[in-house]
Amino acid sequence: MGRLPDGWAETTFGDLIKSVTNGLNGKQNKDSVGIPVSRIETIAEQSINFDRVGYMYDYDENKIEKYKLKKGDILFSHINSPIHLGKTTIFESNKDLYHGVNLLRIVLNNSILPNIFNYYCKYIRALGEFSARAQHAVNQSSINQKN
């Protein structure tokens, strides 16, 4: 990399990320019964679409709080068709939404703003970096959580 502007620093994703976790797994319904849960379709347009969430009514109440999304959490589509792989969005709503399966939740440490990280993810997705690092099968690709 060339010379960085004053005040900038080169870093890695690993240095910026506090945690990367999988979501809540269980039977979902579209009848608005239970708690709202994110799905791949929820972030298809790279924003949160509450009309495209699932609902779960059977879950462990003692463990559910750890899946509740907080402002600044980034949702990352790591299992999807190749054209949608690597899509991201930032959770910024006051509505309740729980982190569902087939999306990764990325929580950043305090050294970077979520919108900067999100824009960078969009940039490297456009360059094809996520697709290049993915494992591809018929109509489905996936990026290993560690990658």
Side-chain angles (χ1 to χ4, degrees):
M1 179 178 253
R3 183 168 162 11
L4 295 173
D6 289 340
W8 288 39
E10 187 172 339
T11 190
T12 66
F13 272 18
D15 291 336
L16 301 174
I17 294 172
K18 184 176 181 178
S19 67
V20 178
T21 56
N22 285 304
L24 185 61
N25 194 6
K27 185 174 174 142
Q28 294 184 12
N29 68 78
K30 294 184 181 183
D31 301 324
S32 302
V33 177
I35 59 169
V37 178
S38 65
R39 307 164 47 89
I40 292 173
E41 299 86 14
T42 306
I43 71 164
E45 301 300 319
Q46 299 190 79
S47 62
I48 303 289
N49 183 340
F50 280 94
D51 292 331
R52 299 183 78 183
V53 300
Y55 291 86
M56 291 181 73
Y57 57 85
D58 187 19
Y59 55 88
D60 185 340
E61 290 191 30
N62 295 319
K63 295 181 181 178
I64 195 62
E65 195 60 30
K66 76 177 187 176
Y67 294 101
K68 188 174 183 179
L69 292 172
K70 295 171 183 60
K71 286 187 178 183
D73 287 352
I74 295 176
L75 295 177
F76 180 92
S77 181
H78 72 298
I79 299 173
N80 213 324
S81 59
I83 195 165
H84 297 289
L85 190 67
K87 285 186 174 181
T88 60
T89 194
I90 303 170
F91 183 75
E92 298 176 304
S93 178
N94 290 322
K95 293 181 180 180
D96 286 346
L97 183 62
Y98 293 83
H99 174 217
V101 71
N102 292 337
L103 293 172
L104 293 177
R105 175 171 55 180
I106 300 173
V107 177
L108 301 171
N109 64 37
N110 293 330
S111 67
I112 187 168
L113 297 172
N115 62 341
I116 293 172
F117 185 87
N118 188 46
Y119 285 130
Y120 186 73
C121 285
K122 291 177 188 315
Y123 171 69
I124 62 173
R125 178 177 176 265
L127 293 177
E129 289 293 322
F130 292 136
S131 184
R133 296 174 188 271
Q135 295 178 340
H136 300 281
V138 177
N139 295 325
Q140 180 124 343
S141 297
S142 64
I143 299 174
N144 179 292
Q145 184 173 333
K146 290 180 183 178
N147 288 340

